[in-house]
Amino acid sequence: MPQKRIAIQSNSGGVGKTTLAVNLAYQLARKKQTVALFGCDPNGSLTLFCGLDDPAADQTIDYILRPEFAGDYPLFSAWADRISGIDACLGGLVLSETAQRLTMTKRGEYLLADKLEDYPLPHDIIIFDCPGTIEQLHTVTLAASTHILVTLKPEDKDIDAVAKLIDWIYRTRQELRLKPAPEILGLVPNGFKDRAMHRDNLGLSPIADIETLPSIMRTMGIPMFSKINDSAHIANAAAAGLPLGLFRPGEAANRIYADIADAVIGA
């Protein structure tokens, strides 16, 4: 089966991209898929969430995007004492310089796709944990992806940001002439709290005359996954450097992450 490459994108910070990346990787590994997690964010959250030490600059994705790279991917095993099949290629502050360099590099937008084609990884699935706002690394991961997952919190400002992100995805796919164009696999509402704004935006209120996120997504033909409730357990798992499934296996959100994993496998 061809390798799937999933870009987890948003157009605002703190909406759960790394949380989704880590928990999706874990659920995929439970389903006997091998996964490579790529930390494409300068804030380096993936390092913390995987319980790994901060890498040196030449042990990050920045190294992969340099001319001297020849297929020696800097991969670190994640939770190898608990589950097999998950490796991580980490990000960090060096990626701020990487993004600037890519704008001046020939085929900069396609560089990650080129490296993965020239030096294929054996993993079934690659997951790109993208930055919190649209920038050059968004473009680079889009060009390297087969599918996209969009995550957001059900806040008014985040919904407006997602609308801009989806428009950017459509336009950039055309501008880059991506064939086949990476498909938006679905939208993941994260951090739901039982309050009026969140209920209204997710269509959980009895108000009939407001446009809701599910109705907008139906109009656009984009699937929407079940909401993931705001949970201290999810935050505590991340702080412990573990996926929720290892930290608290009985938590309801694990079933949603498993459903998203099924959608990835079936895509």
Side-chain angles (χ1 to χ4, degrees):
M1 184 177 294
Q3 185 182 72
K4 297 186 179 79
R5 301 175 189 165
I6 314 297
I8 298 179
Q9 297 194 340
S10 75
N11 190 20
S12 51
V15 297
K17 293 181 305 302
T18 308
T19 300
L20 176 57
V22 162
N23 285 288
L24 176 57
Y26 172 73
Q27 294 297 336
L28 287 165
R30 289 187 71 233
K31 298 173 186 292
K32 309 304 180 186
Q33 302 291 300
T34 55
V35 183
L37 282 162
F38 275 51
C40 304
D41 195 331
N43 69 19
S45 296
L46 187 65
T47 304
L48 173 65
F49 286 27
C50 287
L52 297 168
D53 295 329
D54 287 331
D58 61 357
Q59 295 178 312
T60 69
I61 191 176
D62 175 78
Y63 172 61
I64 297 170
L65 298 173
R66 288 186 173 274
E68 60 267 28
F69 176 73
D72 48 335
Y73 286 92
L75 295 176
F76 299 87
S77 293
W79 319 297
D81 58 334
R82 310 282 291 274
I83 193 167
S84 62
I86 304 174
D87 294 311
C89 180
L90 303 174
L93 282 175
V94 67
L95 294 186
S96 298
E97 301 170 12
T98 309
Q100 295 174 21
R101 189 178 73 246
L102 288 172
T103 61
M104 299 179 287
T105 301
K106 288 181 180 179
R107 287 186 61 84
E109 295 91 344
Y110 308 96
L111 192 54
L112 181 56
D114 290 346
K115 299 289 188 177
L116 290 169
E117 181 178 341
D118 293 344
Y119 308 104
L121 280 167
H123 301 74
D124 300 310
I125 296 164
I126 298 176
I127 298 174
F128 303 120
D129 178 25
C130 298
T133 53
I134 298 171
E135 51 147 276
Q136 189 68 10
L137 284 166
H138 260 69
T139 308
V140 170
T141 56
L142 183 72
S145 298
T146 60
H147 299 83
I148 304 156
L149 283 169
V150 176
T151 185
L152 82 166
K153 290 186 176 178
E155 306 274 345
D156 291 346
K157 65 178 181 62
D158 286 351
I159 292 173
D160 180 64
V162 161
K164 292 181 172 66
L165 172 65
I166 292 173
D167 178 67
W168 175 85
I169 290 170
Y170 288 160
R171 286 187 292 102
T172 306
R173 289 188 311 193
Q174 273 192 315
E175 290 166 2
L176 295 179
R177 299 172 66 105
L178 300 178
K179 295 178 183 179
E183 170 192 354
I184 300 178
L185 192 57
L187 187 77
V188 182
N190 186 55
F192 172 81
K193 296 179 180 179
D194 190 17
R195 61 190 195 199
M197 180 189 293
H198 288 196
R199 291 194 302 271
D200 291 350
N201 285 332
L202 292 182
L204 302 176
S205 297
I207 305 171
D209 60 346
I210 62 171
E211 192 172 37
T212 66
L213 191 58
S215 65
I216 295 169
M217 291 300 104
R218 279 194 299 272
T219 300
M220 301 181 76
I222 296 174
M224 190 163 149
F225 293 99
S226 300
K227 61 180 174 59
I228 298 171
N229 292 331
D230 183 62
S231 167
H233 299 307
I234 294 175
N236 291 339
L242 292 170
L244 184 65
L246 289 176
F247 184 80
R248 195 175 175 92
E251 190 72 8
N254 286 309
R255 292 194 293 274
I256 301 173
Y257 293 130
D259 289 343
I260 300 170
D262 285 337
V264 168
I265 293 169

